[in-house]
Amino acid sequence: MKLVWDTSPSLAFWFCFLTLFAGALPGAVAYVSKLLVDAVLKASQGQDPALNEYAFQVVALELILVVTVAAFQRGLSTCGDLLRALLSQRVNQMILEKALTLSLSHFEDAKTYDKLSQARRRASSKPLSLVQRTFGLLQNCISLLTYGALLLNFSPWAVVLLLVAGLPSFAVEAAFSGEAFRLFKWQSQETRQRAYLEMLMAREDYVKEVKLFNLGPLLLERFNEIFHRLYQQDRNLTLRRSGWGFVLGLFSTVGLYGAYLWVVYEAVHSRITLGDMTMYLLVFKQGQAAVTASLSAIGLMYEDNLYVSNLYEFLEEPVDAVKGSATEGSRPGDGVRFVGVRFQYPGAKGWALDGVDLHLKPGEKLALVGENGSGKTTLIKLLTRLYEPTEGKVLLDGTPLEEWDITTLRRRVGVIFQDFVRYQFLVGENIGVGDVDNFESEEKWKSAAKKGLSHEFIPELPEGYQTQLGRWFKDGRELSGGQWQKVALSRAFMRDQSDIVVLDEPTSAIDAEAETKIFEYFREATAEQMAILISHRFSTVRMADTIVVLQGGKIIEKGSHEELVELGGRYAELFEMQAKGYR
Ligand code: ADP
């Protein structure tokens, strides 16, 4: 209710107001139809022309009432539609805002991901549904009160009969709505699998491989198989729900016709007027519908409530409090230090980093070398606080990273990962993402593009820097792998104010000559900055001041290219191997 009210107080007010009046009117219509029948009967017996006129007036009154009911119903559904749109936007916004506060490890955890997708799938429609049903219930209850008041003249037992006849249907709703929700939750994993398969078959970035490996039929078969499994369960529930609903609903119908019989019997024996009979029959029929609707609304509200609590469960998912407020280190100019750092991924067994000690001074260029899985990227993730060390500390300017204000920290560190994002934005914006403050600055795009060598090809594109990239949107252009990497590198050059620039294998698809050129620029542009470079190309690695060799999460060698070659250890071995390949 609070959510709906906060979304739009004025619409919520009208919704409430119309509900109350729309609830009271059907009783009035029933009463007027009694007046009408009685008036017609009287008029047809006597000769008094005033009676005729009275009957016509009653018709007019009923017309006015019916038009009013229609107007109120229309108003209600309009308010409902508008509220639904606003509420859905608001709930989606809440879900996305929450998603933005989650840490990387939350996204890597299937359980949290399940909650997120459950919330996104249903929760945006459920809060309004819950509120609509609550108001619907209120409306029906008000109608029932007026019907009850009218019926009381006939017999109090009639009121009891009206209420009791609806109970069996209610029992069915209550029993099955919980089950429907449990099924929904339980199927969540499979529904996501299905959505994933659908994406594999229908998205442009996957289509190449799906076609060439002829994966299509296999994926489609899996997709269908999951559907049929889910469908079996859903069908089972739907059939049982409607079967029981029908059987127990018969009780209500029998009760209703029992009441009809009773009313007709009383009318036949002239204990009530024909007008009364018309009204009671109407009241019974509508009352019955109102009772059934109210009771099933309660059952469905229970179900809605389960979904909404699911949404709140997600929204209240604990996030690591954003700690730290330092905007300056205790020893400015100290650079980056890793002190006895060990790190284990959540749920993983071994150490991804195992006792790393490292010091990087301002202006220093560091290269990380090691086999796949030796911990290079993990080290970068700790440096950027995407994860926190399990043991030991990472310090920037003498202050541990967790004590830094996160925005300041992220501003000071610029990273281009090997799996950088290829945004389906303008090519200029794809460079601009490197610095949100200058996201749209064409001038900055250009100077960064010159250093990242993407300026070589961007002006040739149909719209220059304004060219749309990707295939999802109109006139989108695709770039080659190397061109994309140049765009990503240019992002790094957007961050000329950051103190640390990290390049995690971003040049694998760029030809060796261009790479050397880029790194010359890079050295020049980052003369004052710390730079960390991960690369498998020794021609690039050797340009670093310090080279660190990682193996199994441990630093096994450290020094300049010359020193390490002199040492004749692992680095020298790897270097020799690559050099041999070129000879
Ligand atoms: P590199 O960058 O040197 O190739 P990584 O730092 O990515 O290696 O990986 C180091 C180790 O941590 C590997 O054994 C890898 O399997 C593991 N690892 C990497 N990312 C995750 C993750 N998100 N969850 C669990 N284990 C991970």
Side-chain angles (χ1 to χ4, degrees):
M1 288 282 189
K2 185 174 177 320
L3 188 64
V4 174
W5 180 260
D6 289 345
T7 301
S8 166
S10 60
L11 278 175
F13 167 78
W14 280 108
F15 201 61
C16 196
F17 175 81
L18 292 172
T19 302
L20 298 183
F21 280 87
L25 285 174
V29 174
Y31 186 71
V32 171
S33 44
K34 162 203 153 65
L35 293 182
L36 179 64
V37 174
D38 285 344
V40 170
L41 273 180
K42 250 194 218 139
S44 67
Q45 286 156 7
Q47 304 299 321
D48 187 354
L51 281 174
N52 289 349
E53 200 171 304
Y54 171 66
F56 295 143
Q57 280 167 357
V58 175
V59 174
L61 180 62
E62 187 167 329
L63 175 68
I64 292 171
L65 277 179
V66 169
V67 169
T68 316
V69 171
F72 277 27
Q73 292 294 6
R74 205 26 91 98
L76 263 179
S77 68
T78 310
C79 276
D81 288 345
L82 297 178
L83 262 180
R84 182 173 314 112
L86 290 177
L87 198 61
S88 151
Q89 156 68 13
R90 187 180 160 87
V91 171
N92 276 319
Q93 188 185 335
M94 282 162 72
I95 293 174
L96 292 176
E97 271 169 6
K98 176 71 185 189
L100 289 180
T101 66
L102 294 179
S103 67
L104 185 60
S105 47
H106 277 116
F107 279 94
E108 288 176 351
D109 174 34
K111 254 204 286 191
T112 316
Y113 211 67
D114 256 357
K115 275 191 200 158
L116 173 66
S117 55
Q118 280 167 7
R120 279 178 49 202
R121 258 169 67 207
R122 289 285 174 82
S124 56
S125 62
K126 289 292 174 183
L128 184 70
S129 156
L130 184 57
V131 168
Q132 267 177 334
R133 285 199 224 278
T134 310
F135 279 112
L137 181 65
L138 199 67
Q139 186 182 348
N140 279 320
C141 286
I142 293 169
S143 299
L144 273 176
L145 276 181
T146 62
Y147 295 148
L150 294 172
L151 270 185
L152 220 48
N153 274 334
F154 180 64
S155 158
W157 288 111
V159 182
V160 175
L161 181 67
L162 186 64
L163 295 179
V164 170
L167 285 178
S169 322
F170 172 60
V172 176
E173 281 308 328
F176 285 103
S177 48
E179 196 178 330
F181 178 71
R182 279 191 299 279
L183 193 61
F184 165 80
K185 263 195 122 154
W186 192 60
Q187 290 178 340
S188 167
Q189 174 97 357
E190 278 157 316
T191 314
R192 276 201 303 129
Q193 269 172 4
R194 233 177 128 240
Y196 179 68
L197 289 170
E198 192 180 335
M199 183 175 81
L200 285 184
M201 285 179 280
R203 274 236 333 234
E204 125 281 359
D205 22 352
Y206 302 110
V207 75
K208 203 168 38 176
E209 194 159 318
V210 168
K211 271 199 188 313
L212 291 180
F213 288 160
N214 198 19
L215 289 176
L218 177 103
L219 297 179
L220 190 60
E221 193 183 322
R222 277 200 185 182
F223 178 80
N224 291 340
E225 193 257 327
I226 295 176
F227 168 78
H228 286 295
R229 205 160 358 121
L230 298 184
Y231 176 71
Q232 285 295 327
Q233 296 161 351
D234 286 339
R235 193 184 67 151
N236 196 322
L237 180 68
T238 309
L239 287 182
R240 278 187 299 134
R241 196 175 192 163
S242 61
W244 279 107
F246 174 71
V247 171
L248 295 186
L250 280 181
F251 282 95
S252 317
T253 314
V254 171
L256 177 67
Y257 276 85
Y260 265 34
L261 208 62
W262 183 11
V263 173
V264 170
Y265 181 82
E266 297 290 304
V268 167
H269 289 86
S270 302
R271 281 197 282 269
I272 55 175
T273 66
L274 272 187
D276 287 333
M277 187 188 85
T278 316
M279 177 178 79
Y280 290 140
L281 291 185
L282 204 61
V283 163
F284 257 114
K285 201 172 206 156
Q286 288 180 354
Q288 175 80 65
V291 170
T292 315
S294 308
L295 292 178
S296 74
I298 294 176
L300 292 170
M301 273 164 72
Y302 169 66
E303 190 177 331
D304 286 347
N305 197 30
L306 291 173
Y307 288 102
V308 173
S309 53
N310 198 60
L311 167 70
Y312 277 95
E313 201 179 298
F314 169 71
L315 290 178
E316 278 152 23
E317 175 91 355
V319 291
D320 312 328
V322 187
K323 296 169 284 185
S325 54
T327 50
E328 240 173 73
S330 58
R331 265 184 293 157
D334 185 53
V336 173
R337 274 176 200 274
F338 279 68
V339 186
V341 171
R342 302 180 87 197
F343 179 73
Q344 199 166 27
Y345 278 99
K349 284 201 191 75
W351 294 98
L353 285 181
D354 192 1
V356 170
D357 290 288
L358 197 64
H359 183 203
L360 189 64
K361 292 185 282 293
E364 204 176 338
K365 311 284 177 269
L366 176 81
L368 295 177
V369 178
E371 299 157 23
N372 296 331
S374 57
K376 303 179 297 288
T377 302
T378 308
L379 196 138
I380 305 305
K381 285 185 188 161
L382 294 187
L383 175 64
T384 45
R385 222 171 101 181
L386 287 174
Y387 285 102
E388 283 179 15
T390 319
E391 286 173 25
K393 287 232 169 303
V394 184
L395 306 140
L396 173 63
D397 286 352
T399 302
L401 289 190
E402 64 266 21
E403 288 174 25
W404 279 88
D405 165 56
I406 191 74
T407 321
T408 313
L409 184 67
R410 296 266 152 87
R411 197 164 285 169
R412 292 191 58 171
V413 186
V415 188
I416 305 298
F417 280 112
Q418 49 188 329
D419 52 351
F420 61 86
V421 181
R422 297 160 187 226
Y423 298 96
Q424 308 235 343
F425 292 163
L426 303 183
V427 60
E429 289 171 342
N430 257 290
I431 297 171
V433 290
D435 178 12
V436 278
D437 296 332
N438 291 299
F439 177 58
E440 291 182 342
S441 156
E442 187 143 1
E443 206 177 306
K444 283 242 167 186
W445 295 348
K446 265 188 198 145
S447 84
K450 278 182 188 142
K451 294 174 190 156
L453 296 195
S454 55
H455 188 69
E456 282 175 0
F457 63 90
I458 293 177
E460 316 284 306
L461 295 174
E463 307 278 331
Y465 281 82
Q466 304 288 338
T467 307
Q468 170 74 36
L469 291 189
R471 291 268 177 225
W472 284 23
F473 305 105
K474 199 165 159 276
D475 296 333
R477 278 303 182 112
E478 203 36 274
L479 299 179
S480 76
Q483 286 173 329
W484 265 116
Q485 284 194 340
K486 286 177 182 169
V487 167
L489 274 167
S490 307
R491 269 178 213 166
F493 288 107
M494 283 293 286
R495 302 182 75 94
D496 41 14
Q497 328 82 337
S498 57
D499 308 71
I500 310 169
V501 183
V502 183
L503 303 181
D504 180 355
E505 280 186 70
T507 46
S508 53
I510 295 177
D511 53 275
E513 193 191 339
E515 182 175 313
T516 311
K517 208 152 127 196
I518 288 173
F519 281 107
E520 268 160 24
Y521 276 126
F522 188 69
R523 275 201 81 97
E524 226 172 88
T526 60
E528 307 290 304
Q529 293 161 300
M530 289 169 263
I532 301 180
L533 167 76
I534 301 180
S535 174
H536 289 292
R537 274 203 197 134
F538 285 81
S539 53
T540 313
V541 168
R542 64 187 299 171
M543 303 199 311
D545 307 314
T546 313
I547 297 162
V548 162
V549 186
L550 280 170
Q551 193 169 35
K554 290 191 170 78
I555 296 184
I556 54 165
E557 286 167 27
K558 185 156 66 176
S560 69
H561 174 75
E562 287 71 25
E563 286 165 0
L564 290 181
V565 169
E566 181 85 0
L567 185 73
R570 181 77 184 140
Y571 179 84
E573 197 183 329
L574 291 170
F575 177 69
E576 186 54 31
M577 225 165 2
Q578 202 169 78
K580 218 194 259 168
Y582 284 118
R583 268 184 221 131

